[in-house]
Amino acid sequence: MPFYLGAFLAVALEWRAQARNAVLQTQTLQALETKVTTLEEEKKTLGCQNETYQTSLKQAQESKAEAERQLAEALELQADFYTREVALQVRLTGLQEMVEADAEVQKDLKDRCCEQADKMERMEGEMATQDKAMGLLQADYDKLQVEASRLRVEKEALEKQVASGDAAIEELEKDKKALIQEMAGTFEEGFQEALAQAVCTNPGIDISSCDSTHHIVDGKVVPLEIDD
C-alpha cells in the first residue's frame, strides 16, 4: 500500500474518532435540552399554581367586599333603629304632656304608653340581634383579612420561585451555546488539521472530495453513517 494512502488512512481514523466524540457531545447536548424542557414544564406548573392562588385571592377579596357591604347595611339598620327610638321618645314625651293636660284621657294615654314601651322592648331585642350579627360579620371580616395576607405571602413566594426558574433556564441556555461553539470549533479544527497533514505528507494529492460528512470504507470514500 502506498505510503500516502497509509498516512491518509491514519488521518481518516483520527477524524473518525473525532466524529464519534462529536456524536457523544451531541448526546450530551440533547440531555441538556431535555433538562431545559423539564425546567420549562416546572415553570408552567408554577405559573398554574400562581393562577390558582390569584383566583383564591380574588374570591377572598370579593367575600371581603360582600362582608363590608353587609356591615354597612347593618350599620344603616342600626342608625334607623336609633332614629325610630328617638322618634318614639318624642312621641312618648308628647303623650306624657297630654296626660298632664287632660286628666280625662289619662288611662287611655297610659295604655298607649305601655304599648309604646312594648314596641321599644321589641326594638331593643331586634337591636341586640343586629349587634350580634354585626359581631359575627366583623369576625368573618377579620378572618378574610388574615386569609388575604396569607395568600399575598404565598403569591410572593411563587413569584420568587418562577424568577429563580427563569434564571436557571437562562444559565443552561448559555452553557448550551458555549458547548455548541466549543464542539464546532474542535471538530472543524481537527478535520482541517487532518487534511493539512495529508496534503503536506503527500503533495499533489486531490482532497477536493473530502469533507466532514464522508469516510473511507473498503478503499472508497462514502457518506458517513451516524451509527458508525
Side-chain angles (χ1 to χ4, degrees), residues 12-209:
L13 290 175
E14 180 182 355
W15 173 81
R16 180 178 179 180
Q18 291 177 354
R20 288 179 181 275
N21 290 334
V23 171
L24 292 176
Q25 290 176 346
T26 300
Q27 293 175 350
T28 302
L29 179 60
Q30 291 175 348
L32 284 174
E33 290 176 344
T34 301
K35 187 174 181 180
V36 169
T37 301
T38 302
L39 284 174
E40 289 177 348
E41 291 176 353
E42 292 178 356
K43 177 182 177 183
K44 292 179 180 178
T45 302
L46 288 174
C48 292
Q49 292 178 356
N50 186 31
E51 290 178 358
T52 302
Y53 281 116
Q54 287 283 6
T55 302
S56 299
L57 179 59
K58 182 178 179 181
Q59 292 175 351
Q61 290 174 344
E62 291 175 352
S63 299
K64 173 184 173 183
E66 179 62 21
E68 290 176 345
R69 185 187 65 79
Q70 292 179 1
L71 182 60
E73 290 179 353
L75 290 173
E76 256 184 61
L77 184 59
Q78 185 182 32
D80 183 58
F81 283 150
Y82 284 137
T83 302
R84 290 171 64 185
E85 183 180 9
V86 171
L88 288 173
Q89 289 287 353
V90 172
R91 292 178 63 186
L92 182 58
T93 301
L95 289 174
Q96 290 174 346
E97 291 177 354
M98 289 175 63
V99 168
E100 294 176 357
D102 192 356
E104 294 180 359
V105 293
Q106 184 177 4
K107 186 179 182 300
D108 183 57
L109 289 175
K110 286 182 179 179
D111 293 338
R112 293 178 65 183
C113 286
C114 291
E115 182 181 352
Q116 292 297 328
D118 291 338
K119 288 182 179 180
M120 287 180 63
E121 184 178 355
R122 288 196 300 270
M123 290 179 64
E124 288 174 354
E126 292 177 358
M127 288 175 62
T129 302
Q130 290 297 325
D131 289 339
K132 184 177 180 181
M134 286 175 61
L136 294 175
L137 287 174
Q138 184 64 42
D140 291 339
Y141 175 79
D142 294 339
K143 290 179 181 179
L144 287 173
Q145 287 281 46
V146 172
E147 181 66 14
S149 298
R150 183 183 69 80
L151 289 174
R152 279 194 294 269
V153 171
E154 292 181 356
K155 175 187 175 184
E156 291 175 358
L158 280 174
E159 288 175 346
K160 289 180 180 179
Q161 291 180 7
V162 171
S164 177
D166 290 339
I169 291 174
E170 183 177 355
E171 187 65 26
L172 284 175
E173 287 291 340
K174 291 180 180 178
D175 293 342
K176 171 184 172 182
K177 292 179 180 179
L179 180 60
I180 291 173
Q181 292 177 354
E182 182 180 353
M183 289 171 56
T186 301
F187 182 79
E188 180 64 22
E189 183 180 351
F191 183 70
Q192 293 298 329
E193 178 66 20
L195 290 179
Q197 290 178 13
V199 173
C200 182
T201 305
N202 304 277
I205 187 172
D206 183 13
I207 60 172
S208 60
S209 62

